[in-house]
Amino acid sequence: MKISVVFPLALGLLTIATPRPAQAAALKSIAYLCKLEGPNRAVDDAAIAHITSLGYSVHTLGEAARPEEVKEDMVVLSSTVSGKNVSPAWRIAPKPLLTWENDSLDDLAMTGKRHDVDFGETEKERYLWLVNAPHPMSGGLPPGIANVYAKQNPMSWGKPGLGATIIATVYGQPEKAAIFGYEKGATMDYESLAPARRTMVFLDNATFTALSPQGLCLFDSALLWTGYRIEQAASCVISQNSGARHP
């Protein structure tokens, strides 16, 4: 009888004493990889200034920077880089990474390899279709149409692997994911596992400065999610009151 009473109690004590899994700490330093000299450097500078305003310490690096050279907590890969000059070692780098360089999506194993089939860019678009409004990367915006540019501009897109969480697609083109992310350990393309969070957003070389309030909200939300920050971006409070015009 003593065993039948004490043994369940012991199990209960063990259950109580078992620690919960630790949550990842929010990351605050970013390595921003871009073309240091080029026609869109002013746009990169605007993006860097905005990211800094969110409370990040940002270190600007050239496109050929290798993972072992980077001391920051996470990485942003601008589309002003030339994909062929970006180190393939970023594919397995254990740092969270956000990019809008669609030509690097296949090298990062975030999509397949076929240009204009697995990844690419549109010519002129203005709207996204939000398909995962409850996710933090949606920034609290409602499902459906999101007006992300002040006027029509190019958009990057990809077709991610099965382990991705798709947040938004190009409006009227549901096969083209415009915002998506992989949690650490999720299956990407080529059966690769994400070594850390990986996120893709819809921007093009010169479009950061063309973002609408809703577009900025989605950019900020994707960045915060990639870096394990759980607060809602201030830009999302503004965008929730801005509305979206139907195409």
Side-chain angles (χ1 to χ4, degrees):
M1 292 181 66
K2 290 182 179 180
I3 294 176
S4 64
V5 173
V6 175
F7 188 63
L9 180 60
L11 285 176
L13 291 173
L14 285 173
T15 302
I16 295 172
T18 301
R20 294 181 179 180
Q23 292 184 343
L27 307 181
K28 291 297 183 73
S29 62
I30 289 177
Y32 187 101
L33 276 62
C34 63
K35 188 178 289 294
L36 296 179
E37 296 182 4
N40 295 304
R41 180 56 199 267
V43 180
D44 277 319
D45 286 341
I48 291 166
H50 177 74
I51 293 170
T52 301
S53 75
L54 298 179
Y56 289 100
S57 171
V58 183
H59 182 199
T60 306
L61 296 172
E63 59 189 356
R66 295 183 59 82
E68 61 268 23
E69 301 169 347
V70 173
K71 306 303 181 185
E72 287 72 26
D73 299 324
M74 58 183 288
V75 177
V76 168
L77 182 63
S78 167
S79 67
T80 60
V81 303
S82 296
K84 62 182 180 182
N85 295 330
V86 176
S87 171
W90 287 112
R91 179 171 177 167
I92 58 173
K95 292 178 186 280
L97 183 150
L98 177 143
T99 188
W100 52 95
E101 168 57 346
N102 64 79
D103 277 340
S104 289
L105 293 176
D106 59 331
D107 296 325
L108 294 167
M110 293 173 68
T111 69
K113 290 184 173 294
R114 299 168 297 174
H115 194 278
D116 293 329
V117 175
D118 297 315
F119 63 90
E121 60 281 326
T122 67
E123 291 187 3
K124 292 183 178 181
E125 299 291 341
R126 185 172 178 178
Y127 301 93
L128 296 182
W129 187 261
L130 287 178
V131 299
N132 200 338
H135 195 279
M137 280 196 280
S138 291
L141 298 180
I145 296 171
N147 179 7
V148 296
Y149 284 148
K151 61 181 180 179
Q152 288 187 327
N153 271 291
M155 287 184 180
S156 292
W157 59 269
K159 290 184 180 178
L162 294 177
T165 298
I166 297 176
I167 304 301
T169 60
V170 177
Y171 180 76
Q173 302 178 65
E175 74 283 2
K176 296 179 179 179
I179 304 174
F180 60 87
Y182 293 97
E183 186 58 85
K184 179 180 179 180
T187 301
M188 301 193 295
D189 217 271
Y190 318 117
E191 300 182 355
S192 296
L193 299 181
R197 283 185 172 178
R198 293 287 188 264
T199 309
M200 184 268 185
V201 292
F202 59 92
L203 297 176
D204 197 66
N205 288 358
T207 61
F208 179 83
T209 52
L211 287 172
S212 68
Q214 289 188 328
L216 191 62
C217 166
L218 291 169
F219 175 87
D220 289 351
S221 299
L223 185 73
L224 295 179
W225 180 82
T226 306
Y228 295 96
R229 289 174 60 178
I230 60 174
E231 75 269 26
Q232 187 178 51
S235 58
C236 293
V237 177
I238 298 172
S239 67
Q240 288 164 10
N241 297 321
S242 68
R245 294 188 310 169
H246 195 283

